[in-house]
Amino acid sequence: MKMIGLLGGMSWESTAEYYRLLNERTRERLGGLHSAKCVLYSVDFAEIERLQVEGRWEEAGDVLAAAAKSLSAAGAELLLICTNTMHKVADRVAAEVDVPLLHIGDATAEAVRAAGPRRVGLLGTAFTMEQDFYRDRLTAGGLEVLVPDGEGRATVHRVIYEELCAGIVREESREAYRAVIRDLVAAGAEGIILGCTEIELLIGAEDSPVPVFPTARLHAEAAVARALADVPEAAPTS
């Protein structure tokens, strides 16, 4: 199995989910006591969040690029940025290392296409929903992307940073997200992309009348498939 390098800590709540998902998928694929070969660089999210708010994306890219170099030096053979928003600097990170970076938008678009929907609603941080770096990646992957209205975007963003990144899960926030999802479906969305890795702590398939696509899970599954591309499937047990 190739060594997976995780650029995490943004937030650590969702990075912990990545670690669980990578290991569960590896065990499903290989059986027995197998677990994922991975190495983690966890940044201080408070520093990253400040750079996001101040629009200092080049500096944020420098931080993640340095972390990626550390992961490469530690033996990583495949890199994951364990957050959707920071894929704004994915090209900067990828340019600094020889290790391939698996883009979360590509993994998500591939999974959505395989499932059938072409018009999708996107939930995420305001940066992810409102800027081009992520929506354009999905569009290039063959999808039409809808985002919530201004009030909906503000609600989704606030819950991510004020609650989910702090490990707080509130029923009233779940209901607020359900209302945003219903509006997107009414506007024609055939599926909903959970385009922030923390949203999976709050929303599941039961909260939407159309299929949901949890990006952290899809990213982790794609990473394990890539890391095990040359490894035979486990023999079925009787």
mmCIF file of all heavy atoms in Angstrom, residues 57-102:
data_model
loop_
_atom_site.group_PDB
_atom_site.id
_atom_site.type_symbol
_atom_site.label_atom_id
_atom_site.label_comp_id
_atom_site.label_asym_id
_atom_site.label_seq_id
_atom_site.Cartn_x
_atom_site.Cartn_y
_atom_site.Cartn_z
ATOM 1 N N TRP A 57 -4.297 34.421 1.073
ATOM 2 C CA TRP A 57 -4.267 33.054 0.571
ATOM 3 C C TRP A 57 -2.866 32.612 0.169
ATOM 4 O O TRP A 57 -2.519 31.432 0.309
ATOM 5 C CB TRP A 57 -5.230 32.908 -0.606
ATOM 6 C CG TRP A 57 -6.657 33.075 -0.187
ATOM 7 C CD1 TRP A 57 -7.430 34.198 -0.331
ATOM 8 C CD2 TRP A 57 -7.474 32.110 0.476
ATOM 9 N NE1 TRP A 57 -8.685 33.977 0.193
ATOM 10 C CE2 TRP A 57 -8.738 32.703 0.687
ATOM 11 C CE3 TRP A 57 -7.268 30.798 0.890
ATOM 12 C CZ2 TRP A 57 -9.792 32.032 1.307
ATOM 13 C CZ3 TRP A 57 -8.313 30.115 1.509
ATOM 14 C CH2 TRP A 57 -9.554 30.728 1.709
ATOM 15 N N GLU A 58 -2.058 33.536 -0.312
ATOM 16 C CA GLU A 58 -0.693 33.163 -0.687
ATOM 17 C C GLU A 58 0.089 32.686 0.530
ATOM 18 O O GLU A 58 0.821 31.685 0.463
ATOM 19 C CB GLU A 58 0.019 34.346 -1.335
ATOM 20 C CG GLU A 58 1.411 34.000 -1.857
ATOM 21 C CD GLU A 58 2.042 35.128 -2.644
ATOM 22 O OE1 GLU A 58 1.347 36.120 -2.949
ATOM 23 O OE2 GLU A 58 3.246 35.014 -2.958
ATOM 24 N N GLU A 59 -0.088 33.358 1.668
ATOM 25 C CA GLU A 59 0.585 32.932 2.895
ATOM 26 C C GLU A 59 0.035 31.592 3.374
ATOM 27 O O GLU A 59 0.794 30.732 3.851
ATOM 28 C CB GLU A 59 0.429 33.994 3.978
ATOM 29 C CG GLU A 59 1.171 35.282 3.694
ATOM 30 C CD GLU A 59 0.884 36.343 4.732
ATOM 31 O OE1 GLU A 59 1.102 36.068 5.930
ATOM 32 O OE2 GLU A 59 0.433 37.439 4.348
ATOM 33 N N ALA A 60 -1.271 31.415 3.259
ATOM 34 C CA ALA A 60 -1.857 30.126 3.630
ATOM 35 C C ALA A 60 -1.298 29.013 2.755
ATOM 36 O O ALA A 60 -1.010 27.903 3.226
ATOM 37 C CB ALA A 60 -3.379 30.188 3.507
ATOM 38 N N GLY A 61 -1.126 29.326 1.465
ATOM 39 C CA GLY A 61 -0.524 28.349 0.564
ATOM 40 C C GLY A 61 0.899 28.013 0.957
ATOM 41 O O GLY A 61 1.328 26.854 0.844
ATOM 42 N N ASP A 62 1.641 29.009 1.429
ATOM 43 C CA ASP A 62 3.011 28.754 1.890
ATOM 44 C C ASP A 62 3.019 27.781 3.063
ATOM 45 O O ASP A 62 3.866 26.887 3.137
ATOM 46 C CB ASP A 62 3.679 30.066 2.312
ATOM 47 C CG ASP A 62 3.983 30.986 1.143
ATOM 48 O OD1 ASP A 62 4.002 30.501 -0.006
ATOM 49 O OD2 ASP A 62 4.199 32.189 1.389
ATOM 50 N N VAL A 63 2.074 27.960 3.990
ATOM 51 C CA VAL A 63 1.998 27.078 5.162
ATOM 52 C C VAL A 63 1.737 25.641 4.729
ATOM 53 O O VAL A 63 2.413 24.699 5.178
ATOM 54 C CB VAL A 63 0.893 27.551 6.131
ATOM 55 C CG1 VAL A 63 0.694 26.532 7.255
ATOM 56 C CG2 VAL A 63 1.243 28.916 6.717
ATOM 57 N N LEU A 64 0.770 25.455 3.844
ATOM 58 C CA LEU A 64 0.431 24.089 3.425
ATOM 59 C C LEU A 64 1.504 23.491 2.525
ATOM 60 O O LEU A 64 1.750 22.283 2.573
ATOM 61 C CB LEU A 64 -0.920 24.071 2.714
ATOM 62 C CG LEU A 64 -2.148 24.389 3.564
ATOM 63 C CD1 LEU A 64 -3.411 23.913 2.851
ATOM 64 C CD2 LEU A 64 -2.067 23.782 4.951
ATOM 65 N N ALA A 65 2.149 24.320 1.721
ATOM 66 C CA ALA A 65 3.228 23.811 0.874
ATOM 67 C C ALA A 65 4.385 23.302 1.726
ATOM 68 O O ALA A 65 4.973 22.249 1.438
ATOM 69 C CB ALA A 65 3.711 24.897 -0.078
ATOM 70 N N ALA A 66 4.720 24.038 2.795
ATOM 71 C CA ALA A 66 5.779 23.585 3.699
ATOM 72 C C ALA A 66 5.384 22.289 4.381
ATOM 73 O O ALA A 66 6.210 21.378 4.548
ATOM 74 C CB ALA A 66 6.074 24.672 4.742
ATOM 75 N N ALA A 67 4.108 22.185 4.771
ATOM 76 C CA ALA A 67 3.630 20.953 5.390
ATOM 77 C C ALA A 67 3.698 19.788 4.410
ATOM 78 O O ALA A 67 4.056 18.662 4.775
ATOM 79 C CB ALA A 67 2.200 21.148 5.891
ATOM 80 N N ALA A 68 3.355 20.052 3.147
ATOM 81 C CA ALA A 68 3.416 19.004 2.129
ATOM 82 C C ALA A 68 4.839 18.507 1.933
ATOM 83 O O ALA A 68 5.078 17.298 1.760
ATOM 84 C CB ALA A 68 2.853 19.527 0.807
ATOM 85 N N LYS A 69 5.804 19.417 1.975
ATOM 86 C CA LYS A 69 7.199 19.006 1.871
ATOM 87 C C LYS A 69 7.586 18.099 3.027
ATOM 88 O O LYS A 69 8.320 17.112 2.845
ATOM 89 C CB LYS A 69 8.102 20.234 1.838
ATOM 90 C CG LYS A 69 8.029 21.043 0.560
ATOM 91 C CD LYS A 69 8.948 22.259 0.637
ATOM 92 C CE LYS A 69 8.895 23.092 -0.619
ATOM 93 N NZ LYS A 69 9.758 24.301 -0.522
ATOM 94 N N SER A 70 7.089 18.399 4.211
ATOM 95 C CA SER A 70 7.375 17.553 5.373
ATOM 96 C C SER A 70 6.775 16.161 5.198
ATOM 97 O O SER A 70 7.403 15.151 5.534
ATOM 98 C CB SER A 70 6.824 18.207 6.651
ATOM 99 O OG SER A 70 7.498 19.409 6.945
ATOM 100 N N LEU A 71 5.569 16.111 4.666
ATOM 101 C CA LEU A 71 4.936 14.816 4.429
ATOM 102 C C LEU A 71 5.701 14.011 3.389
ATOM 103 O O LEU A 71 5.875 12.793 3.532
ATOM 104 C CB LEU A 71 3.488 15.013 3.983
ATOM 105 C CG LEU A 71 2.518 15.526 5.047
ATOM 106 C CD1 LEU A 71 1.171 15.861 4.414
ATOM 107 C CD2 LEU A 71 2.338 14.493 6.158
ATOM 108 N N SER A 72 6.155 14.687 2.347
ATOM 109 C CA SER A 72 6.952 14.008 1.327
ATOM 110 C C SER A 72 8.231 13.449 1.931
ATOM 111 O O SER A 72 8.615 12.299 1.663
ATOM 112 C CB SER A 72 7.262 14.968 0.185
ATOM 113 O OG SER A 72 8.067 14.355 -0.798
ATOM 114 N N ALA A 73 8.885 14.252 2.764
ATOM 115 C CA ALA A 73 10.117 13.799 3.412
ATOM 116 C C ALA A 73 9.861 12.640 4.359
ATOM 117 O O ALA A 73 10.750 11.805 4.589
ATOM 118 C CB ALA A 73 10.754 14.960 4.173
ATOM 119 N N ALA A 74 8.637 12.571 4.892
ATOM 120 C CA ALA A 74 8.279 11.484 5.813
ATOM 121 C C ALA A 74 7.868 10.211 5.079
ATOM 122 O O ALA A 74 7.531 9.205 5.721
ATOM 123 C CB ALA A 74 7.153 11.935 6.733
ATOM 124 N N GLY A 75 7.858 10.254 3.747
ATOM 125 C CA GLY A 75 7.574 9.045 2.974
ATOM 126 C C GLY A 75 6.234 9.002 2.282
ATOM 127 O O GLY A 75 5.883 7.987 1.669
ATOM 128 N N ALA A 76 5.459 10.093 2.349
ATOM 129 C CA ALA A 76 4.152 10.092 1.682
ATOM 130 C C ALA A 76 4.314 9.907 0.179
ATOM 131 O O ALA A 76 5.185 10.511 -0.446
ATOM 132 C CB ALA A 76 3.416 11.398 1.971
ATOM 133 N N GLU A 77 3.441 9.077 -0.395
ATOM 134 C CA GLU A 77 3.453 8.818 -1.835
ATOM 135 C C GLU A 77 2.194 9.344 -2.522
ATOM 136 O O GLU A 77 2.066 9.263 -3.741
ATOM 137 C CB GLU A 77 3.580 7.315 -2.076
ATOM 138 C CG GLU A 77 4.851 6.712 -1.486
ATOM 139 C CD GLU A 77 4.820 5.205 -1.488
ATOM 140 O OE1 GLU A 77 4.248 4.615 -0.545
ATOM 141 O OE2 GLU A 77 5.362 4.622 -2.443
ATOM 142 N N LEU A 78 1.267 9.865 -1.735
ATOM 143 C CA LEU A 78 0.013 10.416 -2.225
ATOM 144 C C LEU A 78 -0.446 11.425 -1.182
ATOM 145 O O LEU A 78 -0.423 11.140 0.005
ATOM 146 C CB LEU A 78 -1.036 9.305 -2.383
ATOM 147 C CG LEU A 78 -2.470 9.720 -2.707
ATOM 148 C CD1 LEU A 78 -2.550 10.318 -4.112
ATOM 149 C CD2 LEU A 78 -3.418 8.521 -2.596
ATOM 150 N N LEU A 79 -0.855 12.629 -1.621
ATOM 151 C CA LEU A 79 -1.235 13.680 -0.681
ATOM 152 C C LEU A 79 -2.728 13.969 -0.742
ATOM 153 O O LEU A 79 -3.337 13.998 -1.820
ATOM 154 C CB LEU A 79 -0.480 14.969 -0.987
ATOM 155 C CG LEU A 79 1.022 14.996 -0.722
ATOM 156 C CD1 LEU A 79 1.566 16.391 -1.028
ATOM 157 C CD2 LEU A 79 1.339 14.601 0.717
ATOM 158 N N LEU A 80 -3.314 14.228 0.441
ATOM 159 C CA LEU A 80 -4.683 14.699 0.561
ATOM 160 C C LEU A 80 -4.681 15.988 1.371
ATOM 161 O O LEU A 80 -4.067 16.041 2.446
ATOM 162 C CB LEU A 80 -5.571 13.687 1.298
ATOM 163 C CG LEU A 80 -5.658 12.251 0.804
ATOM 164 C CD1 LEU A 80 -6.659 11.483 1.656
ATOM 165 C CD2 LEU A 80 -6.034 12.194 -0.655
ATOM 166 N N ILE A 81 -5.352 17.024 0.868
ATOM 167 C CA ILE A 81 -5.668 18.194 1.686
ATOM 168 C C ILE A 81 -7.028 17.906 2.302
ATOM 169 O O ILE A 81 -8.033 17.812 1.590
ATOM 170 C CB ILE A 81 -5.707 19.483 0.850
ATOM 171 C CG1 ILE A 81 -4.356 19.725 0.171
ATOM 172 C CG2 ILE A 81 -6.082 20.678 1.727
ATOM 173 C CD1 ILE A 81 -4.357 20.932 -0.775
ATOM 174 N N CYS A 82 -7.064 17.735 3.622
ATOM 175 C CA CYS A 82 -8.268 17.226 4.297
ATOM 176 C C CYS A 82 -9.266 18.338 4.606
ATOM 177 O O CYS A 82 -9.727 18.490 5.751
ATOM 178 C CB CYS A 82 -7.867 16.487 5.569
ATOM 179 S SG CYS A 82 -6.761 15.097 5.287
ATOM 180 N N THR A 83 -9.607 19.104 3.595
ATOM 181 C CA THR A 83 -10.566 20.188 3.697
ATOM 182 C C THR A 83 -10.884 20.641 2.287
ATOM 183 O O THR A 83 -10.015 20.607 1.413
ATOM 184 C CB THR A 83 -9.994 21.367 4.513
ATOM 185 O OG1 THR A 83 -10.764 22.550 4.263
ATOM 186 C CG2 THR A 83 -8.558 21.667 4.131
ATOM 187 N N ASN A 84 -12.119 21.066 2.062
ATOM 188 C CA ASN A 84 -12.481 21.578 0.740
ATOM 189 C C ASN A 84 -11.935 22.979 0.503
ATOM 190 O O ASN A 84 -11.354 23.265 -0.538
ATOM 191 C CB ASN A 84 -14.012 21.597 0.585
ATOM 192 C CG ASN A 84 -14.603 20.221 0.397
ATOM 193 O OD1 ASN A 84 -14.681 19.698 -0.696
ATOM 194 N ND2 ASN A 84 -15.043 19.609 1.498
ATOM 195 N N THR A 85 -12.138 23.866 1.475
ATOM 196 C CA THR A 85 -11.802 25.277 1.278
ATOM 197 C C THR A 85 -10.344 25.491 0.905
ATOM 198 O O THR A 85 -10.028 26.291 0.014
ATOM 199 C CB THR A 85 -12.137 26.082 2.550
ATOM 200 O OG1 THR A 85 -13.549 26.020 2.781
ATOM 201 C CG2 THR A 85 -11.726 27.538 2.407
ATOM 202 N N MET A 86 -9.446 24.770 1.566
ATOM 203 C CA MET A 86 -8.029 25.013 1.310
ATOM 204 C C MET A 86 -7.550 24.425 -0.011
ATOM 205 O O MET A 86 -6.380 24.572 -0.371
ATOM 206 C CB MET A 86 -7.178 24.521 2.479
ATOM 207 C CG MET A 86 -7.382 25.346 3.757
ATOM 208 S SD MET A 86 -7.242 27.136 3.473
ATOM 209 C CE MET A 86 -5.531 27.270 2.990
ATOM 210 N N HIS A 87 -8.465 23.809 -0.770
ATOM 211 C CA HIS A 87 -8.107 23.456 -2.144
ATOM 212 C C HIS A 87 -7.990 24.700 -3.023
ATOM 213 O O HIS A 87 -7.567 24.598 -4.178
ATOM 214 C CB HIS A 87 -9.105 22.459 -2.729
ATOM 215 C CG HIS A 87 -8.806 21.040 -2.337
ATOM 216 N ND1 HIS A 87 -9.051 20.554 -1.079
ATOM 217 C CD2 HIS A 87 -8.225 20.016 -3.028
ATOM 218 C CE1 HIS A 87 -8.663 19.290 -1.013
ATOM 219 N NE2 HIS A 87 -8.157 18.939 -2.181
ATOM 220 N N LYS A 88 -8.318 25.847 -2.476
ATOM 221 C CA LYS A 88 -8.038 27.100 -3.177
ATOM 222 C C LYS A 88 -6.543 27.230 -3.460
ATOM 223 O O LYS A 88 -6.141 27.860 -4.453
ATOM 224 C CB LYS A 88 -8.518 28.293 -2.350
ATOM 225 C CG LYS A 88 -8.327 29.654 -3.017
ATOM 226 C CD LYS A 88 -8.949 30.764 -2.199
ATOM 227 C CE LYS A 88 -8.636 32.140 -2.787
ATOM 228 N NZ LYS A 88 -9.333 32.361 -4.078
ATOM 229 N N VAL A 89 -5.699 26.618 -2.602
ATOM 230 C CA VAL A 89 -4.248 26.691 -2.790
ATOM 231 C C VAL A 89 -3.682 25.341 -3.228
ATOM 232 O O VAL A 89 -2.482 25.101 -3.111
ATOM 233 C CB VAL A 89 -3.548 27.191 -1.504
ATOM 234 C CG1 VAL A 89 -4.046 28.585 -1.140
ATOM 235 C CG2 VAL A 89 -3.755 26.234 -0.327
ATOM 236 N N ALA A 90 -4.524 24.466 -3.752
ATOM 237 C CA ALA A 90 -4.075 23.128 -4.132
ATOM 238 C C ALA A 90 -2.971 23.161 -5.183
ATOM 239 O O ALA A 90 -1.997 22.400 -5.102
ATOM 240 C CB ALA A 90 -5.255 22.294 -4.630
ATOM 241 N N ASP A 91 -3.091 24.042 -6.167
ATOM 242 C CA ASP A 91 -2.069 24.111 -7.209
ATOM 243 C C ASP A 91 -0.727 24.554 -6.632
ATOM 244 O O ASP A 91 0.330 24.053 -7.037
ATOM 245 C CB ASP A 91 -2.504 25.065 -8.318
ATOM 246 C CG ASP A 91 -3.655 24.525 -9.153
ATOM 247 O OD1 ASP A 91 -3.917 23.313 -9.069
ATOM 248 O OD2 ASP A 91 -4.287 25.322 -9.867
ATOM 249 N N ARG A 92 -0.771 25.475 -5.686
ATOM 250 C CA ARG A 92 0.453 25.944 -5.018
ATOM 251 C C ARG A 92 1.122 24.795 -4.271
ATOM 252 O O ARG A 92 2.339 24.610 -4.328
ATOM 253 C CB ARG A 92 0.100 27.078 -4.054
ATOM 254 C CG ARG A 92 1.183 27.455 -3.056
ATOM 255 C CD ARG A 92 2.203 28.389 -3.675
ATOM 256 N NE ARG A 92 3.128 28.890 -2.681
ATOM 257 C CZ ARG A 92 4.250 28.265 -2.304
ATOM 258 N NH1 ARG A 92 4.572 27.117 -2.866
ATOM 259 N NH2 ARG A 92 5.040 28.786 -1.403
ATOM 260 N N VAL A 93 0.328 24.009 -3.566
ATOM 261 C CA VAL A 93 0.859 22.876 -2.819
ATOM 262 C C VAL A 93 1.439 21.834 -3.766
ATOM 263 O O VAL A 93 2.565 21.350 -3.580
ATOM 264 C CB VAL A 93 -0.247 22.251 -1.932
ATOM 265 C CG1 VAL A 93 0.242 20.957 -1.282
ATOM 266 C CG2 VAL A 93 -0.706 23.243 -0.866
ATOM 267 N N ALA A 94 0.682 21.498 -4.789
ATOM 268 C CA ALA A 94 1.122 20.464 -5.725
ATOM 269 C C ALA A 94 2.417 20.848 -6.425
ATOM 270 O O ALA A 94 3.243 19.975 -6.740
ATOM 271 C CB ALA A 94 0.022 20.197 -6.744
ATOM 272 N N ALA A 95 2.612 22.139 -6.655
ATOM 273 C CA ALA A 95 3.803 22.596 -7.385
ATOM 274 C C ALA A 95 5.079 22.451 -6.568
ATOM 275 O O ALA A 95 6.176 22.453 -7.130
ATOM 276 C CB ALA A 95 3.626 24.054 -7.797
ATOM 277 N N GLU A 96 4.945 22.290 -5.254
ATOM 278 C CA GLU A 96 6.112 22.265 -4.373
ATOM 279 C C GLU A 96 6.641 20.866 -4.100
ATOM 280 O O GLU A 96 7.688 20.711 -3.475
ATOM 281 C CB GLU A 96 5.775 22.953 -3.041
ATOM 282 C CG GLU A 96 5.573 24.450 -3.149
ATOM 283 C CD GLU A 96 6.830 25.172 -3.593
ATOM 284 O OE1 GLU A 96 7.925 24.816 -3.101
ATOM 285 O OE2 GLU A 96 6.727 26.069 -4.450
ATOM 286 N N VAL A 97 5.904 19.842 -4.513
ATOM 287 C CA VAL A 97 6.318 18.467 -4.216
ATOM 288 C C VAL A 97 6.181 17.606 -5.468
ATOM 289 O O VAL A 97 5.433 17.940 -6.397
ATOM 290 C CB VAL A 97 5.461 17.857 -3.077
ATOM 291 C CG1 VAL A 97 5.752 18.545 -1.748
ATOM 292 C CG2 VAL A 97 3.975 17.931 -3.402
ATOM 293 N N ASP A 98 6.895 16.503 -5.481
ATOM 294 C CA ASP A 98 6.791 15.542 -6.577
ATOM 295 C C ASP A 98 5.701 14.508 -6.317
ATOM 296 O O ASP A 98 5.378 13.710 -7.198
ATOM 297 C CB ASP A 98 8.131 14.827 -6.775
ATOM 298 C CG ASP A 98 9.222 15.775 -7.255
ATOM 299 O OD1 ASP A 98 8.887 16.735 -7.975
ATOM 300 O OD2 ASP A 98 10.404 15.564 -6.891
ATOM 301 N N VAL A 99 5.150 14.514 -5.121
ATOM 302 C CA VAL A 99 4.120 13.548 -4.736
ATOM 303 C C VAL A 99 2.779 13.970 -5.350
ATOM 304 O O VAL A 99 2.402 15.145 -5.273
ATOM 305 C CB VAL A 99 3.996 13.491 -3.200
ATOM 306 C CG1 VAL A 99 2.919 12.492 -2.788
ATOM 307 C CG2 VAL A 99 5.328 13.141 -2.571
ATOM 308 N N PRO A 100 2.024 13.067 -5.974
ATOM 309 C CA PRO A 100 0.736 13.447 -6.545
ATOM 310 C C PRO A 100 -0.268 13.857 -5.471
ATOM 311 O O PRO A 100 -0.316 13.269 -4.391
ATOM 312 C CB PRO A 100 0.275 12.184 -7.279
ATOM 313 C CG PRO A 100 1.049 11.074 -6.665
ATOM 314 C CD PRO A 100 2.363 11.649 -6.229
ATOM 315 N N LEU A 101 -1.050 14.885 -5.779
ATOM 316 C CA LEU A 101 -2.098 15.362 -4.878
ATOM 317 C C LEU A 101 -3.445 14.967 -5.453
ATOM 318 O O LEU A 101 -3.750 15.276 -6.612
ATOM 319 C CB LEU A 101 -1.999 16.878 -4.709
ATOM 320 C CG LEU A 101 -2.930 17.513 -3.667
ATOM 321 C CD1 LEU A 101 -2.274 18.753 -3.056
ATOM 322 C CD2 LEU A 101 -4.275 17.909 -4.290
ATOM 323 N N LEU A 102 -4.248 14.280 -4.660
ATOM 324 C CA LEU A 102 -5.576 13.860 -5.092
ATOM 325 C C LEU A 102 -6.582 14.950 -4.717
ATOM 326 O O LEU A 102 -6.850 15.176 -3.541
ATOM 327 C CB LEU A 102 -5.965 12.532 -4.433
ATOM 328 C CG LEU A 102 -7.354 11.977 -4.747
ATOM 329 C CD1 LEU A 102 -7.548 11.776 -6.240
ATOM 330 C CD2 LEU A 102 -7.588 10.667 -3.997
#
